[in-house]
Amino acid sequence: MRWRARVKQLLLVGIGTAIGFNGVAVAVAPGRMQTAYGIDDPTPDLTVLLRHRAVMLALIGAVVVVSAWRPPLRPTARVVAAVSMTSFVLFAFGTGVNAAQQRVAIADMVLLVALATATALPDEPRPAARP
């Protein structure tokens, strides 16, 4: 039964890293917007908005990673990550976006499946305290 806990932790670390990595990369190096989102020469206003979005993604990713070792954080981490990814998928496919953003939306769909898998795995019961 211990293997399920390890698989769950690995999934949460992988999901959180995937969510947060792009966020950190764009927040620190805004030039990555072309690679990540297919946006050439963004205006200063768009750059600020996307960097802010990137910081939010990095925070969501960090919470998901931390929840791998802090089970009480898992419900919150799952909801926040699921809402973030689902909203991007709906916005992306609802408005028609460029190929780079379609790749991000597809990656989010894969991460949503991984998140559902991690959610379906039962948490390990805590050992009873010794009297």
Side-chain angles (χ1 to χ4, degrees), residues 31-53:
R32 291 217 1 114
M33 283 185 227
Q34 167 59 33
T35 306
Y37 300 111
I39 298 173
D40 291 321
D41 299 323
T43 65
D45 293 336
L46 184 58
T47 299
V48 168
L49 287 172
L50 287 175
R51 289 180 81 188
H52 180 260
R53 178 186 187 280

Side-chain angles (χ1 to χ4, degrees), residues 26-130:
V26 171
V28 174
R32 291 217 1 114
M33 283 185 227
Q34 167 59 33
T35 306
Y37 300 111
I39 298 173
D40 291 321
D41 299 323
T43 65
D45 293 336
L46 184 58
T47 299
V48 168
L49 287 172
L50 287 175
R51 289 180 81 188
H52 180 260
R53 178 186 187 280
V55 170
M56 301 305 280
L57 285 175
L59 290 171
I60 291 169
V63 169
V64 173
V65 169
V66 170
S67 78
W69 290 276
R70 301 283 185 231
L73 289 177
R74 289 179 186 168
T76 301
R78 286 190 301 249
V79 169
V80 171
V83 168
S84 173
M85 291 183 289
T86 301
S87 65
F88 186 80
V89 169
L90 292 174
F91 294 150
F93 289 119
T95 59
V97 294
N98 65 34
Q101 291 182 36
Q102 286 177 0
R103 283 192 303 272
V104 173
I106 290 167
D108 279 357
M109 289 188 291
V110 171
L111 290 173
L112 281 165
V113 170
L115 185 62
T117 302
T119 301
L121 290 171
D123 285 327
E124 295 288 324
R126 293 209 178 263
R130 293 185 178 159

